Each structure stands twice: as C-alpha cells, then as structure tokens.
Amino acid sequence: MPERRTVALVTLGCARNEVDSEELAGRLAADGWELVEDAADADVAVVNTCGFVEAAKKDSVDALLEANDLKDHGKTQAVVAVGCMAERYGKELAEALPEADGVLGFDDYADISNRLQTILNGGSVEAHTPRDRRKLLPISPAERQSADVALPGHAQAAEEPAPAPADLPDGLAPASGPRAPLRRRLDKSPVASVKLASGCDRRCSFCAIPSFRGSFISRRPSDVLGETRWLAEQGVKEIMLVSENNTSYGKDLGDIRLLETLLPELAAVDGIERVRVSYLQPAEMRPGLIDVLTSTPKVVPYFDLSFQHSAPDVLRAMRRFGDTDRFLELLDTIRSKAPQAGVRSNFIVGFPGEKESDFAELERFLTNARLDAIGVFGYSDEDGTEAAGYEDKLDEDTIAERLAHMQRLAEELTSQRAEERIGETLEVLVETVVPLDEAEEGEGAYGRAAHQAPETDGQVVFTDGAGLVPGRIVTAKVVGTLGVDLVAEPLGLELEEAAG
C-alpha cells in the first residue's frame, strides 16, 4: 500500500490564485496526495503567494514563516512557496527566506507532485529562475494558442491528456482538452471562480503583473464551458469569470466579441444560477458587451471597472485612457440599461506628478460616480515598472494624507450608495447560515446580491435566517444598511414552504 502523503494549500491574493490552487490540488489528488485543510495536519504546506504590492508580499512572507513554525511543533515537514511572488522573485526569495524548503515557479506546476515528493524526501529542488514571461509567447496574439508555455489554470498546450483513470478520486475534474486542467475544489462554497484567460497585453506604467504572468492568452470556450458544467455538478450556483483583463477575451482566438457569445452559453448551464464577470477595462468596453451584461438572464449586471484615476494627465502617465466625463458617460450608459447595476473600482492616489488639481478631479469623479465599492491605494514603486523610474515623486507624508482623505470619502460615498438601495427588491444568493446553537442572537444568515462580488463588495445580512440554506437564491427587500452591507428581509419563504 502506498505511503500516505498529506498536503495543505494556503492561498493568498486574488481569485485567480484561488483557481491556481485548485488546479494544484487537482494535480496532487490525481497523484495520490491527500488534501487537508490545516497546514498543521499536512506533511507539506504549499503557500500560494501574492506578489502584487508590498502589503501582499509581506502577507505572503508572513504566511511562509507561520507555516515554517509548524515544523517545530506540528506534523509539517516542509514548506514550499508557489504563486506570483515565487514566480516573480524565485532564487532571490529563496536566498532571503531560507525557511522555505522550495520556491517553485509556474513551470513547475505540471510536475508539482514529483517536486513536493523530492522535497519531502529531503532532496532539493532548484529554486525558480525568474524571467519576463511576456517574452515566452509570440507577439502576435493569433499565434499564442499553439505555444508550449506553462499557463496556470490552462494546463499545458503540449499535453494530450490521457483518459481519466477508473479510480480518479471523487470530486476531481478530469482534464478534457489540451488546455483544460485537473481541478479539485478546496471548499464547499456555492460560488467558484473560472479562469477566462491569463496574462495582460496592457503596459500600465505602475503594474508589474504582465512581467510575471505573461502576455494575454484566452482559454478556449469549450474548456470554460466544460469546467463550468463540472462546477455545477459540484453544487456551484454562481461562477465568477476572472483574468487580468476579461474585456480582451477572444482577441487571440480571432473574435474580440467572443465573450458576448460565451456568456449566454454559460448562463444556460444546468445548475448555474448566476454568472459574474470581473476585471473589465473601461477603455475596452463595447456597446455589445454592455448589452449582454445588462440583458442576459442569469448574467448579473455587475461592472468591475479598472478606472485607477480620472484626471487625464495622471491617466496618461499611467499609460491609460479616459477622463472624468467619459467615465461618467460610461456609467450613465450602463445605468440607463440596468438601473440597479453594481459598479466597483480601484484607485491609486499619490501617483508621480499627481497635482492637487488632479486629486480634486478624482474626488469630483468619485462624488458623482455612485460606486458600490471603492478600493483606494497609495502609490508605491514596484520593481521593474516604468513608473518606478519617474521623477516628480510625491513625498510619503503627502501620499499618506491623500490616501487617508480618499479612504474616508470612499467609505462615506459607498455607505450613501448602500442607503440608496433601501426599498429595493433583490435576488440574494445565500452563502452562510449560522446554526441556532452557534449564533449569539437567533439564527444569522448572510448572502450577496447581484451587485456584490465575493469578498470585495460587502454583503447582505438577513433579518431572519429561518428556512435559508447556502446555495439558495431568495428574494429579499432591503430594509436597512450597515455601512456598505445591506440588511434585507426575505420575502415569500412561508408561501414557498407551504407550497412545497
């Protein structure tokens, strides 16, 4: 009987990383590893790191050190770093953090089982050598689909997946196409992310992501549909399409409007009740895409728009496009088609050269935009980015002052936007129900409406959790707010129960 091997995956960062972790889990489960939730119960703790900004990198290092502490008083024998920080820094991270027994890049994912086994046996695996992944794919998008390059969430282009073995573990999605990965769910949430593409062709001056995630490449619609069907069989009710830039989907497949065709097909998958699209570029929004997002049943009118700023001079320095008035016109167009549409965005303050008038222009935009969720970040240099070499940098005190001001404004504005929804009737996906014996006061239930994405946009707090179960979509009326969160009363449940 083969020796029992256990592994835990600790995931930091964005929803794309969560998908990558489930791909790694699928590969490991297919090779006989037992997946456990707690790193203290695992022979190997795999930390899927984030390398986006300094705060995320610090969180990743802290997670690696925390996992390393388990080696002194837990079952854990090895700690391995994967993910964006490992890909971005590789050997540099290995030298700075000897507590990590391995630092593996994306190229190691296809052979992750053997890499972990070698480390568990006391051997060494050479730390990943970083390289600019934009140079690994052809410049022409049309030529990228046939390239043999490791793409997390896509599997390998050169792989011809063998037939799934008869003893494939329960809950494992078999690879069904040349870029369809194995996948194993790591939780029982009724919501799951589906990777639509990887990489980015944009060259925003503040962003290092393309250098370690690579150029943009779409997943084929058949693979996205196949994975969605499998997720529906696992009980998933809502899928969220993720990538670095969903508005570019299909350009390397010969059809920049492919997303408009794919969305209705995903919404038609049996068992799927809600399809959400994230990571949209304002400069690439098309009338046809807006129409599909605002009129297709089960596709929620949700717009995660990457504005970043609204002052023209700052946007040009960021190598982005638009201005306050054009952005407001875009929002007016969306709301003319779907008045209840949800809109969120992130913004950078204190960018090099940002004048007080630019800051005031951003404030004008936020005051008029009526966004449901706002993320605000202070500018900091990122290794290898164009903006890191810019002159006219603002001092840290000025950035901190502007950040604090804009965060206060964002909190006030999003609370006001939530209050505007009092009286609205919403369709809410129940996500969490606290049993009566565990709740402090009665039974609590929480969910999300169509305008609220997982983890980032607030939630709906039900006034009464009786009869609610995770995964159920219920009609509810908003009766109050708690900051950005909505308080809602379920409607019609008694009639439903009686009819049932």
Side-chain angles (χ1 to χ4, degrees), residues 175-188:
S176 58
R179 284 197 185 278
L182 295 165
R183 181 171 179 175
R184 177 69 173 265
R185 297 218 68 202
L186 293 174
D187 60 39
K188 296 180 180 179

Side-chain angles (χ1 to χ4, degrees), residues 85 251 306 336 478:
M85 189 176 180
K251 73 175 187 178
S306 178
S336 70
V478 181

Side-chain angles (χ1 to χ4, degrees), residues 3 17 34-35 48-49 52 72 93 157-158 168 170 173 190 209 225 246 252 255 265 282 289 295 433 470 486 488:
E3 182 181 356
N17 253 17
E34 181 179 341
L35 298 163
N48 192 350
T49 60
F52 183 35
D72 294 329
L93 176 62
L168 195 69
D170 290 340
I209 289 176
L225 279 164
N246 282 333
D252 51 322
D255 184 1
E265 295 183 51
L289 180 56
S295 65
V433 177
L486 304 178

Side-chain angles (χ1 to χ4, degrees), residues 287 290-292 294-295 301 331-341:
I290 294 174
D291 287 343
V292 170
T294 56
S295 65
L331 295 178
D332 285 344
T333 298
I334 290 169
R335 288 172 175 141
S336 70
K337 298 175 181 295
Q340 289 185 322

Side-chain angles (χ1 to χ4, degrees), residues 154 176-181 194 219-228:
H154 296 238
S176 58
R179 284 197 185 278
V194 175
R219 291 184 68 197
R220 293 189 176 277
S222 57
D223 289 341
V224 178
L225 279 164
E227 190 168 331
T228 299

Side-chain angles (χ1 to χ4, degrees), residues 282 302-310 324 327-332 334-335 339-348 362-376 406 409-421 451-452 456-458 483-486:
Y302 175 79
F303 294 82
D304 177 10
L305 293 163
S306 178
F307 289 121
Q308 301 300 342
H309 212 283
S310 72
T324 295
F327 289 163
L328 291 175
E329 287 174 6
L330 172 61
L331 295 178
D332 285 344
I334 290 169
R335 288 172 175 141
Q340 289 185 322
V343 186
R344 81 167 323 275
S345 192
N346 292 324
F347 300 88
I348 299 172
L362 176 57
E363 185 168 344
R364 179 171 82 90
F365 171 69
L366 289 177
T367 302
N368 288 279
R370 296 170 55 235
L371 303 179
D372 293 278
I374 300 170
V376 186
M406 204 59 81
L409 178 63
E411 183 176 353
E412 178 184 339
L413 292 172
T414 51
S415 295
Q416 289 176 2
R417 178 66 181 130
E419 290 171 0
E420 290 178 16
R421 293 188 180 275
H451 70 278
Q452 298 168 317
T456 60
D457 298 347
V484 297
D485 294 339
L486 304 178

